[in-house]
Amino acid sequence: MAEKVMEIQMDKLVGFRNHPFQVKDDESLKALCESIRDYGVLSPLLARPTVDGNYEIVSGHRRKAAAMKLGMEKLPVLIREMTDDEAVILMVDSNIQRENLLPSEKAYAYKMKLEAMKRKAGRPVKNNSCQVGTDFIGVRSDELLASNTSESARTIQRYIRLTYLQKPILDLVDEERIAFSPAVELSYLTKLEQAELWDIMQSEDCTPSLSQAVRMKKLSMIAQLTPKMIFDIMSEEKANQKERVRIDVSQLRKYFPKSYTTAQMEKSILRMLEEHHKKKQRNKEVR
């Protein structure tokens, strides 16, 4: 089937299976809505036909979301036949260079693309059985992936480690409450150990430092990370520990867009306080 651009009904366009990138109802989407309202959809979506007569979007999820908000019924779509692996690789390539991607988005996107590249490359030869796979000319798949991004092969592997984190902990990474390096170390903990860690973080209102995460990983690797050890490690006072003001997030949600993370809410609150302080200072000066 030769590829061609067609006008496709909105209900025939389905999202990519396990799409790792979030479509946020934010200022960027609002700007896209305004652009489409003024000029139309300038670039067709890319999709592939499915066996049930629908079309799976490979590139253009945000354009579809914006068009739906505008009440559009059809969209221009470039229809292309693709294998599963070709579609995954193109889907990731179409999104990975976007600004402000969450760590979880990068993690799952890199994992999906690397697995697709490994399947396309075939099994490694016997004398080069690298666990991340090689292509037909002996280049490691993670190195080949890195050559098409701004990340090193090691950084990509570290991002992929985040996919081993349980969702509540990974959410804290996205919210910038746990830094990237400690998160990578925590990914080596078992599901049970991560569940215990999560409970302690909740009850004690704390997150692990890099040194704490490294120690927990080492104990986990030798099967000695007990709930008591996790509690003892997390109960230690950090050298840079500061007094915090605690506010239930549910009390703040009504004042911010649904897509806002706790980190974004914190930044907005601090900015508003700063503006309020400056206003008070100006009022003093004019008296």
Side-chain angles (χ1 to χ4, degrees):
M1 175 182 174
E3 62 181 58
K4 57 182 178 180
V5 175
M6 299 172 57
E7 290 285 327
I8 304 295
Q9 286 288 140
M10 197 77 75
D11 60 0
K12 288 285 187 180
L13 293 168
V14 297
F16 198 90
R17 183 165 50 90
N18 297 325
H19 192 249
F21 301 101
Q22 298 180 22
V23 178
K24 302 170 187 172
D25 190 0
D26 55 12
E27 291 300 317
S28 176
L29 188 68
K30 189 181 297 183
L32 181 57
C33 284
E34 292 174 0
S35 174
I36 291 175
R37 184 186 294 113
D38 293 341
Y39 306 108
V41 179
L42 299 178
S43 179
L45 285 68
L46 176 63
R48 62 173 183 158
T50 62
V51 292
D52 58 1
N54 291 321
Y55 298 90
E56 183 180 39
I57 301 172
V58 176
S59 175
H61 291 79
R62 292 179 70 253
R63 276 166 281 171
K64 181 190 174 184
M68 287 182 67
K69 288 175 74 70
L70 294 171
M72 297 173 63
E73 296 181 357
K74 293 183 178 181
L75 282 174
V77 183
L78 176 62
I79 308 300
R80 179 183 299 173
E81 292 280 1
M82 283 176 270
T83 66
D84 289 347
D85 292 335
E86 288 170 343
V88 166
I89 291 170
L90 190 49
M91 178 275 296
V92 173
D93 286 347
S94 299
N95 289 277
I96 201 66
Q97 300 300 333
R98 277 167 39 193
E99 293 183 3
N100 303 320
L101 287 178
L102 297 172
S104 63
E105 293 177 303
K106 281 190 173 186
Y108 281 100
Y110 283 143
K111 182 178 183 180
M112 288 177 72
K113 182 175 179 180
L114 188 57
E115 288 174 348
M117 292 173 67
K118 287 161 63 177
R119 286 191 295 267
K120 287 189 70 176
R123 291 181 177 274
V125 294
K126 186 175 291 186
N127 64 352
N128 190 6
S129 55
C130 168
Q131 72 177 58
V132 295
T134 59
D135 68 3
F136 294 125
I137 56 172
V139 178
R140 282 168 50 115
S141 295
D142 58 349
E143 293 174 347
L144 193 60
L145 172 54
S147 69
N148 295 319
T149 71
S150 59
E151 318 274 16
S152 67
R154 171 170 164 73
T155 298
I156 286 171
Q157 283 297 329
R158 282 163 60 79
Y159 267 111
I160 291 173
R161 280 301 319 174
L162 299 185
T163 64
Y164 293 89
L165 287 172
Q166 297 299 290
K167 188 178 185 306
I169 297 178
L170 184 54
D171 287 344
L172 294 184
V173 182
D174 283 343
E175 293 169 8
E176 300 179 3
R177 291 182 58 192
I178 297 179
F180 179 69
S181 291
V184 172
E185 302 300 317
L186 296 176
S187 72
Y188 290 91
L189 274 57
T190 67
K191 289 182 180 180
L192 191 60
E193 290 165 346
Q194 289 188 41
E196 185 65 35
L197 173 62
W198 168 250
D199 287 343
I200 292 170
M201 285 194 294
Q202 289 290 94
S203 64
E204 301 301 310
D205 190 28
C206 59
T207 55
S209 65
L210 178 57
S211 63
Q212 288 172 323
V214 168
R215 276 186 289 156
M216 285 189 280
K217 173 189 171 183
K218 287 179 178 177
L219 289 169
S220 176
M221 302 298 277
I222 58 175
Q224 291 185 12
L225 186 61
T226 63
K228 183 179 185 307
M229 288 299 302
I230 297 175
F231 181 82
D232 288 346
I233 290 172
M234 293 301 298
S235 298
E236 297 168 354
E237 185 174 348
K238 302 182 184 73
N240 62 346
Q241 202 164 32
K242 297 178 181 178
E243 187 176 358
R244 286 179 170 269
V245 175
R246 296 179 62 179
I247 303 176
D248 191 332
V249 174
S250 62
Q251 294 180 284
L252 301 175
R253 284 288 175 202
K254 61 183 177 181
Y255 302 111
F256 295 94
K258 292 181 179 179
S259 61
Y260 265 43
T261 65
T262 53
Q264 288 173 314
M265 287 190 282
E266 182 180 346
K267 288 178 183 177
S268 296
I269 291 169
L270 290 174
R271 186 174 64 250
M272 287 186 285
L273 289 172
E274 178 65 22
E275 289 171 356
H276 178 68
H277 175 70
K278 288 179 179 177
K279 185 177 179 180
K280 285 182 67 177
Q281 292 298 109
R282 287 196 298 269
N283 288 340
K284 283 182 182 179
E285 290 172 2
V286 296
R287 285 176 184 173

